[in-house]
Amino acid sequence: MTGKNQVPLTRIQAGQEGIIVRIEGGTRLINRLAALGIRPAKRITKVSSAIMRGPVTIKVDRTQVAIGFGMASRIMVEPVQAIP
Amino acid sequence: MNILLMGNPNVGKSVVFSRLTGVRVIASNYPGTTVSYTRGHMKLGEETVEIIDVPGTYTLEPTSEAEEVAQQMLGTGDVVINIVNATNLERNLYLTLQLLERDVPMVVALNMWDDTGHRGIEIDLDRLSELLGVPVIPTVATTGQGIKELVSSIPDAASPDTPVRSRDERWTTIGSIIDQVQRVTHRHHTWREHLADATVRPFSGSIIALAVLAGAFLVTRLIGEGLIGYVLEPLFNSLWAPVLLRLSDLLGGTGFLHEILVGNLIDGQLDFVQSFGLLSSGLYVPFAMVLPYIVSFYLVLGLLEDTGYLPRLAVLMDTVMHRLGLHGYAIIPTLLGLGCNVPAILATRILESRRGRFIAATLISIAIPCAALQAMIFGLVGERGVQYVAIVYGTLFVVWIILGIILGFAVRGFTPELLIEIPPYRLPPWRTVLQKLWIRSYGFLLEAVPMILGAVFVINILYFFGVFHAIADFTAPVVTGLLGLPKEAITALFIGLLRKDVAVGMLAPLALSAKQLVVGTVVLAMFFPCIATFIVLLRELGVANMFKAAGIMICVAITTGGILNLIL
C-alpha cells in the first residue's frame, strides 16, 4: 500500500474498483464497518455513487452494503485500474 | 434445555426456526425482520427442548436495540446453533469466533448452501468443522434440506477451548480459515446483477421505485376490490341479509335487542354499513370491507419483502428521510405501518437511536393509515369520488413530511447514518410468502374482529342510554366550530380510540358532505392511536415520550382538520 493515490470512497466513480487503505474514525466505526466486511486491504467495487450526499453502495465479497455519505467519506481507498 | 438460533441478520434464522419447531414466524429477505425473540419447542430424542429465534447480529457488540436483545439472550442458552450464510463465510465467521470464545456448546449450520454452487463457491466442510472444533452442517432452510442432519448433530455440539482474541486477531484467524476451506471461482457480472444494480442508482432507481410502489398500490386495490365486489359483497347480500331480515322480523323491528343485534333499518331495509348492529355492520365491516384489503395488502407486502427490494428502497429514500430526522431504513417500519401500526412500531427497533425511534413511531401513528383504515377510506370516501381519496392521502403525506421536518429539528440529538447490508434479489419462496400472509390475516381475525364487535356493542349501549348526547354538546365548539363537522361526529372520534375502521364507519350514517367526510377521516386517521397501537407505543417509548407523542397527535390532528375545513 503506497498511499499516494488515496481518495475517499465518495470520490470514486460507480463501477470503479478499489482497495480499502484505512478508515479514518474511532474504534466504534471501525468495528461496525469491519462487521460488515469493510476493513483495510479489502477489495471493493462501488455500485452506485451518491447525489445530494446520499448513501454510497459498494460490493464487498459477495454482499452489497449501503453506507451513509459521512461514513463513506471516511473510508479511504486506492482505486484499482479495471482490467479491460 | 435451551437452544439459541444465532447469526448475522438475514441468514435465515427465522426460516430454520420455523422448520425446527413448526411455529409459524414471519421471515423476510431483509436484515432486521426479527426484532425480538420467539420461543418454540422441538422434540430431541425423548426430551422436549426449547428453541429461541434470536434477532440477527453482526457482532456481540450491539449497535441497535434488536442486537442488544441478542446479546442478552446469549447468557440464557445451553446450546447455540450458529446459522451462517454459506455464500458469505468470511464475514459471518466473525460472530462465530466471538461465540466460540463464550464457552457455549455450538453447532454451525451453513445455510443457503444451494446458493454456493452457482456463485462459484466451494467449501471444504470437514476441514471447516475441524478448524472450528464444532459440527458444521450444510442446510437449505427454505426447502428443509439438511434440517434433519442439523437436529441429529445437536448432541455433538462442542465448546472447544478458544482464547479470547482481539478484533484484529479474529480477522487474522478468519483469513487463515478461509484460505484453507474456501475456493471461489471468479465469475462475470450476470445481466440480473446489472439490473439489480440499477435499482440503487439514483436516477434509474427512482424511476423503478415509483413504478414498483405504484404497481404495488394498484395490485393491492385490484385484489382488494375484486375480493369485495365478486366474493364478499354478494355473499353478504344474498346469504346473510335474508337471515338478518328474518331475525329483524322475529325481534319485532325495534327495541333494545334489535338495536344491538341488527341495528337501525334504513327505509325498512338493512344497510350493512349504516345499520350498525353487531350482526350487520359488526360482521360486515371486518369481513367484507377490511379483511379483503388485509389479505391483498399483506400478499403484496410479503412479495416485496421476500424479493429483497425494500433495503434498496431504503437507500434511495435515505436523503429524503434525513430531512425528517431519520435515515433511509426507517422506510421499512413505515411501509409495515400501512398494514398495521403495531408491528410497524415494534419494527422501529431496527433504528439505532432512541431519537430516531421516537420520531419514526410518532410519524407512523399520526400519518400512516393502517390497512383497516385505508379499506374504510376506499369504501366510504371512494364512493364520493377518487379526488377525495386523493385529498385524504395527499394531506396525510404532507403532514408526514412537514411534521417530520419539524420533529427532525425539534427533537434533540443527531441522525445516525445509514449502514445496511443489501441482500441479493431472490425469487420469493411461496412457502414463506403464504405463511406470512396467513399469520398476518389470522392475526387480524383473532385480534381485530372481537375488538370491532366490542366497539359496535359499546356504541350501541352508549347510544341507547344517550351518553353521547352529553359529550357531543360539550365538545361541539371544537368539532363543529373548528372542524365543521356535526357535533355527533365526536362519537366517531371516541370510537377511534378502540378501532379506526369502525370509527370511520360511524361517519356513514351522519349524512356528511364530501368535504366533511374528508375532514372527518383525516382527523380520525391522525387524532389518536387505536388502543392496540397505544399500548405498543407506551411499551416501546415509555410513559413520558408516549404523552409527548399523544400531545403532538392531538394538536396536529385538530390543526390539520381546521385548515382542511377552511381551505376545502
Side-chain angles (χ1 to χ4, degrees), chain B residues 78-82 95-101 103-108 132-136 153-154 156-160:
Chain B
D78 299 314
V79 173
V80 169
I81 299 181
N82 175 213
L95 180 68
T96 308
L97 288 194
Q98 279 194 315
L99 288 170
L100 282 174
E101 290 166 20
D103 291 332
V104 192
M106 192 164 89
V107 179
V108 168
L132 293 174
V134 299
V136 174
S153 76
I154 292 172
D156 304 328
S159 170

Side-chain angles (χ1 to χ4, degrees), chain A:
Chain A
M1 240 140 283
T2 51
K4 56 185 169 191
N5 198 15
Q6 293 174 16
V7 284
L9 185 56
T10 47
R11 297 271 293 279
I12 63 172
Q13 294 289 311
Q16 171 87 57
E17 284 184 41
I19 290 174
I20 298 175
V21 186
R22 73 198 136 84
I23 289 154
E24 297 175 338
T27 323
R28 210 178 135 80
L29 178 68
I30 293 174
N31 276 338
R32 280 191 73 192
L33 290 172
L36 285 158
I38 302 164
R39 53 201 167 85
K42 273 276 164 188
R43 194 184 178 109
I44 56 103
T45 312
K46 186 155 164 180
V47 175
S48 81
S49 54
I51 52 156
M52 290 174 67
R53 303 172 71 80
V56 176
T57 308
I58 61 167
K59 198 167 155 183
V60 51
D61 291 333
R62 274 155 303 279
T63 28
Q64 291 194 357
V65 181
I67 309 164
F69 189 88
M71 285 187 204
S73 60
R74 290 194 260 166
I75 301 173
M76 303 302 288
V77 294
E78 197 172 280
V80 176
Q81 287 313 317
I83 304 140

Side-chain angles (χ1 to χ4, degrees), chain B residues 142-202:
Chain B
T142 47
T143 64
Q145 190 192 319
I147 297 294
K148 249 193 206 139
E149 292 79 355
L150 181 63
V151 172
S152 41
S153 76
I154 292 172
D156 304 328
S159 170
D161 231 358
T162 316
V164 176
R165 303 183 182 88
S166 72
R167 183 188 71 224
D168 291 339
E169 286 167 348
R170 282 188 204 119
W171 284 119
T172 316
T173 313
I174 291 167
S176 110
I177 296 176
I178 291 293
D179 284 346
Q180 295 178 60
V181 302
Q182 181 176 271
R183 198 154 4 127
V184 181
T185 347
H186 184 75
R187 268 173 343 118
H188 278 285
H189 241 44
T190 61
W191 65 269
R192 272 170 68 168
E193 283 165 318
H194 280 295
L195 187 70
D197 292 353
T199 54
V200 289
R201 292 212 184 93

Side-chain angles (χ1 to χ4, degrees), chain B residues 396-448:
Chain B
L396 290 175
F397 183 69
V398 170
V399 168
W400 184 68
I401 296 273
I402 295 180
L403 183 63
I405 293 173
I406 296 173
L407 287 177
F409 270 112
V411 184
R412 269 191 300 172
F414 71 103
T415 310
E417 284 193 81
L418 185 75
L419 181 63
I420 53 163
E421 182 182 350
I422 299 179
Y425 280 115
R426 291 184 207 288
L427 225 50
W430 60 268
R431 193 173 172 272
T432 69
V433 172
L434 291 182
Q435 180 162 307
K436 280 195 281 195
L437 181 61
W438 169 253
I439 296 171
R440 288 162 161 169
S441 306
Y442 185 68
F444 166 79
L445 290 178
L446 212 62
E447 282 155 33

Side-chain angles (χ1 to χ4, degrees), chain B residues 194-260:
Chain B
H194 280 295
L195 187 70
D197 292 353
T199 54
V200 289
R201 292 212 184 93
F203 182 70
S204 51
S206 306
I207 293 172
I208 295 172
L210 280 179
V212 168
L213 293 179
F217 182 79
L218 286 179
V219 172
T220 307
R221 276 222 69 174
L222 198 73
I223 299 176
E225 292 286 280
L227 284 173
I228 292 174
Y230 293 104
V231 183
L232 288 147
E233 240 172 34
L235 265 176
F236 266 85
N237 285 333
S238 56
L239 289 178
W240 191 232
V243 177
L244 273 188
L245 282 172
R246 177 76 58 83
L247 180 71
S248 168
D249 281 345
L250 280 175
L251 292 170
T254 50
F256 182 68
L257 211 55
H258 187 276
E259 283 283 288
I260 289 199

